[in-house]
């Protein structure tokens, strides 16, 4: 059956499912698996001529499906996730940072999970969410029936770490990427008779640079071929590169597990598998000679692999040469599934399904925009213009060395792109730096949720209280030593009712007997530290490269008591009323459970 007829058949089947029974019609819809990696660059695949890494399973997606050769994401993690999940530029949606609430996109945005669930799909996400921790930003509130992983921007330990499952704190099993993949495989097995949308946002090769021994042993003494770009060569740290590539081979192994399982349950032909990364590489390693890496708005910071396999529709070895971006995935996947992506707001992305099917008839030139931390850029099929005015011909100068605007001040394409970028910037009004975002409170007590987590990363320390690391994600509060110290959260209580509160903490024996008080809106509870939890920091022994982020601990939970919450914006305060020892506790998070 020709691809366009296949898609028409799906669309008609979907229409039928809304009129009558879902079971027969939706059985013909394709399943969807989206694998998103974290800090893996375009050059971290053997598919892209990196001779130091072997990624045969990932590469097979291009061989058996399609590769979009010029695919673009954002400079850092959370903006890319927002754009993939909504099909809209992150600048429109309130994303201005990667932590402390700035990673959340607005609650009135529609997500890809909501689109597919509306179309009769079971939905799940397993991995790094990084788009908000509390309802209504939590994945369970944004269309995902099942969620397992962590909601922060990075995690402090990858071996059987503390995670969450649908809001409840749990302990992981084994190496995190392997564990997340196992959950995805189990979800596939449990839904083989119903169409499913499975989002697998893996957390590597983001630091900490941890990977099982069998992958590290191959790389720890391996010679590394330098990138053709001299700046990448000079800045490369070989140990960091070796760890990143070892992590990439672990990812490849897990992609292979997913593909093999699809074969085993006979779903491969009717399942769309998508693979991409969230930004450029987190180190100056091989990246095809491109300029820039993570955090940059040059090609090396924004270009990502995009591989899509769908045997029933996409011919093996398909190459798409036109530019595309993360904003295109929602309309493309809904198009392939025959589901309407219509939502409350217009999409910035467009379906590239015709290009995947080999039909570029009538495909007009388009322009893709990106911004981060005060930097802006626009990409056409051939050129990239930076907000600073630099213009590069990516076709002839992929390393962005020759500024055509400087060489030819009156060049028409520079003026045209400059006007387009100015118009887009005026329309979406991106923040000029990650520090300029309008601070919004942390939400608490949404009526739909049972569990409500307030981590230290969203808190403010007062007096002598210090954050365990300057990067807030996955941190804890320490140096809490006196009754003058305080830890506060700026919260917007959305619902109300009675809640049981737990605190996850660590402390030495001399902290036993310390008395603490939690207060909010005239309500308070008092508790006494009854049990020591003198635990060391975890992570350093498993790091293959010294991290810049903080370490974690084996946190213990204690019940503080019950408290009544009433709607409204308030300050939640945690303080000590008696300190018998050298400190109160080290505080990781508070967990509110609706009674």
């Amino acid at each position: 059956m020709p691809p366009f007829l296949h898609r028409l058949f799906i669309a008609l089947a979907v229409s039928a499912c809304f009129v009558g029974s879902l079971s027969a019609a939706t059985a013909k819809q394709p399943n969807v698996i989206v694998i998103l990696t974290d800090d893996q660059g375009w050059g971290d695949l053997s598919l892209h001529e990196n001779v130091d890494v072997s990624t045969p399973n990932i590469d097979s997606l291009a061989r058996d499906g399609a590769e979009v050769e010029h695919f673009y994401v954002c400079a850092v993690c959370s903006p890319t996730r927002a754009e993939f999940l909504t099909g809209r530029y992150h600048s429109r949606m309130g994303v201005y940072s990667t932590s402390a609430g700035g990673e959340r996109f607005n609650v009135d945005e529609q997500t890809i999970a909501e689109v597919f669930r509306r179309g009769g799909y079971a939905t799940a996400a397993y991995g790094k969410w990084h788009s908000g921790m509390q309802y209504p930003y939590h994945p369970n509130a944004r269309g995902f029936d099942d969620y397992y992983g962590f909601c922060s921007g990075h995690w402090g330990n990858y071996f059987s770490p503390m995670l969450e499952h649908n809001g409840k704190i749990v302990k992981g099993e084994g190496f995190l990427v392997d564990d997340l993949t196992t959950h995805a495989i189990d979800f596939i097995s449990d839904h083989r008779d119903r169409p499913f949308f499975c989002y697998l946002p893996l957390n590597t090769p983001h630091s900490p640079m941890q990977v099982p021994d069998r992958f590290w042993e191959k790389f720890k003494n391996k010679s590394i071929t330098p990138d053709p770009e001299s700046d990448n060569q000079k800045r490369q740290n070989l140990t960091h590169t070796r760890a990143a590539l070892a992590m990439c081979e672990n990812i490849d192994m897990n992609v292979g597990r997913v593909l093999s399982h699809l074969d085993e349950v006979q779903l491969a032909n009717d399942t769309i598998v998508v693979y991409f990364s969230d930004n450029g590489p987190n180190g100056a390693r091989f990246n095809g000679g491109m300029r820039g890496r993570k955090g940059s708005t040059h090609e090396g910071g924004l270009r990502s692999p995009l591989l899509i396999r769908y045997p029933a529709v996409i011919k093996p070895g398909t190459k798409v040469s036109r530019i595309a971006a993360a904003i295109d995935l929602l309309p493309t996947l809904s198009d392939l599934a025959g589901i309407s992506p219509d939502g409350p707001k217009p999409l910035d992305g467009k379906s590239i399904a015709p290009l995947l099917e080999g039909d570029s008839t009538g495909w007009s030139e388009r322009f893709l925009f990106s911004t981060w931390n005060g930097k802006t850029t626009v990409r056409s099929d051939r050129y990239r213009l930076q907000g600073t005015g630099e213009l590069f011909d990516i076709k002839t100068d992929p390393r962005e060395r020759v500024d055509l605007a400087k060489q030819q001040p009156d060049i028409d394409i520079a003026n045209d792109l400059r006007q387009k970028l100015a118009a887009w910037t005026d329309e979406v009004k991106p923040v000029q730096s990650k520090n300029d975002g309008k601070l919004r409170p942390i939400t608490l007590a949404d009526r739909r949720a049972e569990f409500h987590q307030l981590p230290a990363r969203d808190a403010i320390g007062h007096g002598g209280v210090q954050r365990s690391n300057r990067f807030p994600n996955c941190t804890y509060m320490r140096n809490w030593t006196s009754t003058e110290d305080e830890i506060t959260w700026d919260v917007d209580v959305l619902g109300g009712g009675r809640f049981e509160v737990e605190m996850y903490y660590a402390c030495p024996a001399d902290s036993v007997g310390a008395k603490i008080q939690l207060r909010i809106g005239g309500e308070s509870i008092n508790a006494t530290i009854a049990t020591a939890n003198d635990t060391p920091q975890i992570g350093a022994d498993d790091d293959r490269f010294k991290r810049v982020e903080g370490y974690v601990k084996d946190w213990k939970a204690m019940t503080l008591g019950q408290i009544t919450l009433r709607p409204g914006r308030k300050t939640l305060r945690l303080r000590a009323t008696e300190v018998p020892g050298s400190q109160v506790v080290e505080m990781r998070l508070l967990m509110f459970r609706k009674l």
Side-chain angles (χ1 to χ4, degrees), residues 66-71 304-308 320 322 324 352 356:
E67 177 179 11
V68 179
E69 297 178 305
H70 296 280
F71 179 77
S304 161
L306 177 64
L307 313 175
I308 304 180
V320 175
R322 308 301 292 266
I352 63 167
L356 296 172

Side-chain angles (χ1 to χ4, degrees), residues 86 88 93 105-111 114 142 345:
T86 65
R88 288 164 47 82
M93 301 183 289
F105 57 90
N106 296 336
V107 295
D108 58 355
E109 297 288 341
Q110 171 187 256
T111 71
E114 291 169 328
R142 311 221 71 161
K345 298 182 179 181

Side-chain angles (χ1 to χ4, degrees), residues 192-469:
R192 67 181 71 185
D193 297 323
R194 176 188 174 187
F196 60 79
F197 181 93
C198 182
Y199 175 37
L200 185 57
L202 302 176
N203 58 289
T204 54
H206 195 295
S207 57
M209 309 305 285
Q210 296 181 344
V211 68
D213 288 341
R214 71 184 183 101
F215 295 94
W216 175 241
E217 289 300 319
K218 174 180 175 179
F219 282 92
K220 69 178 182 179
N221 296 312
K222 184 178 177 61
S223 61
I224 300 295
T225 303
D227 187 85
E229 172 58 50
S230 60
D231 188 58
N232 286 350
Q233 293 179 26
K234 288 185 292 186
R235 296 187 180 190
Q236 178 171 234
N237 183 291
L238 290 177
T239 302
H240 187 276
T241 294
R242 290 174 179 131
L245 296 182
M247 296 162 94
C248 290
E249 292 207 355
N250 169 264
I251 292 170
D252 186 76
M253 181 271 289
N254 280 291
V255 171
R257 291 176 62 204
V258 172
L259 299 182
S260 295
H261 188 68
L262 290 174
D263 288 335
E264 291 170 10
V265 295
Q266 299 181 338
L267 293 176
N269 192 59
D270 293 313
T271 298
I272 303 169
V273 180
V274 179
Y275 186 93
F276 72 114
S277 182
D278 63 354
N279 45 245
N282 57 347
R285 54 185 181 266
F286 176 83
N287 202 25
M290 290 185 288
R291 178 178 173 181
R293 51 178 173 165
K294 178 180 179 178
S296 168
T297 55
H298 287 280
E299 283 285 295
L302 302 178
R303 189 178 176 189
S304 161
L306 177 64
L307 313 175
I308 304 180
R309 190 188 79 172
Y310 182 14
V313 170
I314 300 174
K315 293 181 180 179
T318 296
K319 298 282 188 181
V320 175
S321 60
R322 308 301 292 266
I323 58 172
I327 53 175
D328 298 330
L329 290 174
L330 187 156
T332 299
L333 294 173
S334 59
D335 189 3
L336 290 171
I339 298 173
S340 170
D342 290 344
K345 298 182 179 181
L347 299 181
D348 290 310
K350 62 184 295 186
S351 172
I352 63 167
L355 300 180
L356 296 172
E357 296 166 6
D359 181 10
S360 59
T361 304
W363 190 268
S364 57
E365 184 176 31
R366 63 190 299 217
F367 304 91
L368 299 173
F369 302 91
S370 190
T371 179
W372 183 246
N373 203 19
K375 298 172 287 187
T376 57
T377 184
V378 57
R379 176 74 154 89
S380 69
D381 274 318
R382 180 164 183 171
Y383 297 95
R384 177 174 294 286
L385 178 88
Q386 296 292 339
T388 53
E390 297 172 295
L391 175 69
F392 303 100
D393 184 340
I394 302 302
K395 183 176 181 179
T396 61
D397 180 26
R399 299 180 189 179
E400 297 176 80
R401 289 176 170 171
V402 180
D403 179 5
L404 298 179
K406 186 176 182 179
Q407 282 193 347
Q408 308 170 51
D410 297 325
I411 186 171
D412 290 340
I413 186 63
N415 294 328
D416 180 53
L417 292 177
R418 194 176 296 115
Q419 291 174 11
K420 286 181 169 58
L421 182 58
W424 179 83
T425 303
D426 183 63
E427 178 189 350
V428 303
K429 294 179 173 55
V431 294
Q432 293 305 301
S433 79
K434 62 184 179 182
N435 298 317
D436 292 339
K438 182 179 179 182
L439 295 178
R440 295 179 290 175
I442 299 301
T443 52
L444 178 63
D446 186 292
R447 297 183 186 280
R448 294 170 293 174
E450 178 183 2
F451 298 98
H452 311 262
Q453 184 180 158
L454 291 183
R457 69 157 212 170
D458 295 333
I460 300 172
H462 304 269
V465 178
Q466 300 172 353
R467 188 175 297 283
S468 60
N469 187 270

Side-chain angles (χ1 to χ4, degrees), residues 131-152:
S131 292
M133 181 173 293
Q134 299 86 9
Y135 269 68
Y137 304 100
H138 188 276
N140 289 142
R142 311 221 71 161
F144 290 100
D145 302 322
D146 193 38
Y147 174 70
Y148 174 85
F150 63 92
C151 289
S152 288

